[in-house]
Amino acid sequence: MEQFFPLILLVLAFALLIVLPARQRKKMAANAQKLQESLSVGTPVMLTSGLHGTVAGFGEGTVDIEIAPGVVATFARPAVMEVRTPDGAVLDAQAGEVVPPRDERTGLVDGDGDPTERRA
């Protein structure tokens, strides 16, 4: 039995270093695809650069974002990181979940670094 111990360790290392990250990448890709499919003209979004805007149109592999009234810029579709909703919640592509608005989260940290409690 002791002769199989190194083999078992190698199999476990393979699973931890190869298989599990591959599953996570697949899950993140599915979430990103779901986010891309949810885009429509007029949807407020945030890009990976932190730029906020509204979807104005689509091209092949691109999305036109209105970043100010009358100012439209074209970005690659994967640059869209999250879809923002009118109530302040966001659909996060990486987490694959809707995150509540900032003022509804608990354990926030205020400007001086001290945790603040949720206000009623």
Side-chain angles (χ1 to χ4, degrees):
M1 187 68 182
E2 290 181 18
Q3 63 189 11
F4 295 117
F5 186 70
L7 181 62
I8 292 171
L9 283 178
L10 283 174
V11 170
L12 287 175
F14 176 78
L16 290 175
L17 297 175
I18 305 296
V19 176
L20 294 178
R23 289 182 62 208
Q24 184 66 20
R25 279 191 304 273
K26 185 176 179 180
K27 183 178 177 182
M28 287 177 58
N31 289 337
Q33 181 66 30
K34 178 180 170 185
L35 179 122
Q36 292 296 325
E37 291 171 356
S38 72
L39 292 178
S40 62
V41 173
T43 303
V45 296
M46 185 174 85
L47 304 178
T48 54
S49 63
L51 187 67
H52 293 255
T54 305
V55 176
F58 298 99
E60 188 173 326
T62 62
V63 61
D64 296 330
I65 305 291
E66 184 176 27
I67 53 178
V71 179
V72 178
T74 302
F75 296 91
R77 286 189 90 166
V80 176
M81 184 170 80
E82 33 181 69
V83 172
R84 308 200 57 81
T85 60
D87 65 358
V90 295
L91 174 61
D92 189 348
Q94 294 179 350
E97 59 188 21
V98 174
V99 180
R102 180 171 170 75
D103 60 344
E104 292 182 14
R105 298 180 203 160
T106 58
L108 293 178
V109 176
D110 59 14
D112 60 1
D114 294 330
T116 58
E117 291 299 318
R118 182 177 169 190
R119 295 181 185 164

